[in-house]
Amino acid sequence: MAKRKSLIKIKPKKFKDGEIVKVSFMVMHPMDTGTQKDKKTKELIPAKYINSVKFNYKGKEITNMTVWESLSTNPVFTTYMKVDGKGELKVTFTDSTGEVHETSKKIKPKG
């Protein structure tokens, strides 16, 4: 399994309990569609794209996205959530080859 760089961003940076915040998940992924050729070998590059993204907050699923190969390289997934106290936000994605990646961020509301 390849280690992927990923990042969870929350806007606004400072938020209070009960606020709605914007959550963005960015991941470095080739999103190969299986229709492109390698420039050196001239052979088709096998398909490898993200097909599922799940956002969980405090153990509860807040959204589940089904994705197709038409997204850009290094995609960004965005959703909104209501902050309900301290907890952990986990984002998990699965790609078409079965690779699973998970990243998390601690949620700490101010006030």
Side-chain angles (χ1 to χ4, degrees):
M1 180 171 94
K3 180 141 177 103
R4 302 258 175 226
K5 281 187 173 181
S6 61
L7 176 68
I8 298 174
K9 283 179 112 177
I10 298 177
K11 287 188 178 182
K13 286 184 177 180
K14 294 181 181 179
F15 47 86
K16 296 179 181 174
D17 200 18
E19 272 190 56
I20 305 289
V21 295
K22 181 179 176 181
V23 178
S24 296
F25 171 65
M26 292 157 259
V27 62
M28 303 292 282
H29 195 283
M31 298 297 285
D32 291 322
T33 60
T35 59
Q36 296 172 311
K37 287 185 177 181
D38 186 310
K39 289 180 180 177
K40 292 181 182 175
T41 64
K42 306 293 183 200
E43 292 183 17
L44 286 176
I45 299 170
K48 181 177 178 81
Y49 56 89
I50 295 172
N51 54 14
S52 172
V53 181
K54 295 178 183 176
F55 288 72
N56 290 289
Y57 174 52
K58 296 173 75 172
K60 291 183 182 175
E61 186 173 291
I62 56 173
T63 191
N64 183 349
M65 301 174 182
T66 300
V67 182
W68 288 269
E69 64 271 34
S70 58
L71 283 183
S72 67
T73 301
N74 306 326
V76 178
F77 302 93
T78 301
T79 188
Y80 292 87
M81 69 173 220
K82 184 176 182 179
V83 176
D84 185 23
K86 290 182 180 179
E88 188 175 42
L89 174 67
K90 285 185 182 177
V91 181
T92 307
F93 78 79
T94 306
D95 75 13
S96 60
T97 64
E99 179 183 323
V100 178
H101 177 81
E102 183 177 287
T103 189
S104 63
K105 184 174 183 99
K106 291 187 179 179
I107 303 295
K108 297 177 187 173
K110 309 282 184 197

